[in-house]
Amino acid sequence: MHEDAPAIFSCKDLTVDIAGRTLVEALTVTVARGELIAVLGQNGSGKTLALHTLAGLRPARTGTIRMLGADLATSKRKDLAKHLTLLPQHVDDIFPATVIETALIGRHPHIGRLSWESQQDLDVARAALAAVDLHELATRDILTLSGGERRRLAIAQVLTQEPDLYILDEPTNHLDPQHQLDALRLFRARADAGAAVIASLHDVNLAVRFADRCLLLYGDGRWDLGNTSEILDAERLSQLYGTPMEAVTWRNRELFVASGDVAL
């Protein structure tokens, strides 16, 4: 994270619930440029709902969210899309389209209502496809892509959008180990270049490697937030995941493995 980097996004006293169940209570977070925050927790702990709430796609029970100083609730979606993007966990394709056409959707917030994509827009989309190793498939129908290829295209689309804040729901979903690393390197690079990233992850060791801070969601309203090197330890992760976790040292880095199947 850049030292003294300005805050671009924040939420205060944010409570997220569904069907009478409180998943996250009174969450307060400030996100700075240059920062990558990993969101960790069990299935059903509220990671997706929290990210959708932060992106303004569903109302919070309480609390406020601000993007670049403006209240998210009163911001126009077109204007907001220039600064914030959400990568959903799943993408459904209803109509046929080519890979490059799909990547170019990310440019729509930057294009006038009656305008067409410019050469610059095409260049941005092609660079994003090259970054996720899909440049040779630019003219392919998206309905012919594998699950992993389609996920990489979804990543290319949000990269093409070039926002200030990337909100990513399981960006490594459907990806093999190499492409998982490649994807997180891309978003780490965007953060290092001055954007910010909030990403839910299932692999705690990817958070160890790439995240500046981690937000832990316990699914019952409780949450913890702190620097990755300080907040991730075997005891806390065992509580978070409901199974014994053990720290191991590999290449001078502390990693974590599930060491048993006894619920705590």
Side-chain angles (χ1 to χ4, degrees):
M1 182 173 63
H2 298 171
E3 289 188 9
D4 301 321
I8 62 171
F9 183 84
S10 65
C11 68
K12 183 177 181 181
D13 296 329
L14 194 74
T15 296
V16 178
D17 55 14
I18 188 170
R21 176 188 170 198
T22 298
L23 298 172
V24 185
E25 186 169 13
L27 175 66
T28 297
V29 179
T30 298
V31 185
R33 292 189 183 277
E35 187 169 31
L36 192 157
I37 297 177
V39 182
L40 304 176
Q42 292 187 54
N43 292 337
S45 61
K47 298 189 299 298
T48 292
L49 287 177
L51 293 183
H52 285 194
T53 304
L54 291 175
L57 297 186
R58 66 185 306 275
R61 177 159 61 86
T62 63
T64 58
I65 306 171
R66 304 188 72 83
M67 179 74 207
L68 294 173
D71 189 334
L72 206 71
T74 59
S75 298
K76 295 181 179 179
R77 297 305 303 184
K78 171 83 172 182
D79 295 334
L80 183 62
K82 296 177 182 178
H83 304 291
L84 181 154
T85 189
L86 170 70
L87 174 68
Q89 189 175 142
H90 303 289
V91 177
D92 294 322
D93 296 311
I94 301 174
F95 302 106
T98 66
V99 167
I100 187 66
E101 289 170 342
T102 303
L104 278 166
I105 292 173
R107 298 305 300 166
H108 288 183
H110 305 283
I111 299 172
R113 187 171 59 180
L114 300 178
S115 302
W116 293 94
E117 296 92 346
S118 67
Q119 185 60 50
Q120 179 183 359
D121 295 321
L122 286 167
D123 290 343
V124 171
R126 288 178 179 137
L129 291 178
V132 298
D133 197 23
L134 288 178
H135 55 290
E136 294 183 354
L137 304 183
T139 60
R140 279 266 299 272
D141 189 321
I142 57 174
L143 299 180
T144 69
L145 299 178
S146 70
E149 289 169 337
R150 185 62 186 88
R151 192 58 173 169
R152 284 151 53 200
L153 176 55
I155 290 170
Q157 184 177 317
V158 298
L159 291 173
T160 300
Q161 193 169 334
E162 295 186 320
D164 296 284
L165 174 66
Y166 296 85
I167 298 179
L168 314 173
D169 193 1
E170 296 186 24
T172 58
N173 195 22
H174 297 301
L175 299 184
D176 59 58
Q178 183 59 60
H179 285 112
Q180 289 181 21
L181 292 173
D182 290 343
L184 288 174
R185 287 187 183 112
L186 287 171
F187 290 115
R188 178 71 261 177
R190 289 295 172 102
D192 291 341
V197 180
I198 303 173
S200 65
L201 298 173
H202 270 307
D203 188 336
V204 64
N205 293 314
L206 290 177
V208 170
R209 184 164 181 174
F210 291 101
D212 299 296
R213 289 192 290 164
C214 289
L215 172 63
L216 311 184
L217 302 183
Y218 294 90
D220 57 2
R222 294 178 301 137
W223 53 275
D224 283 322
L225 175 68
N227 293 334
T228 299
S229 61
E230 298 171 358
I231 200 168
L232 296 187
D233 58 45
E235 181 179 358
R236 187 177 279 113
L237 289 174
S238 296
Q239 292 294 326
L240 181 71
Y241 291 113
T243 192
M245 300 287 290
E246 184 176 343
V248 297
T249 301
W250 182 76
R251 293 188 178 180
N252 297 320
R253 178 183 289 140
E254 191 171 62
L255 303 179
F256 299 92
V257 296
S259 60
D261 58 359
V262 179
L264 298 180

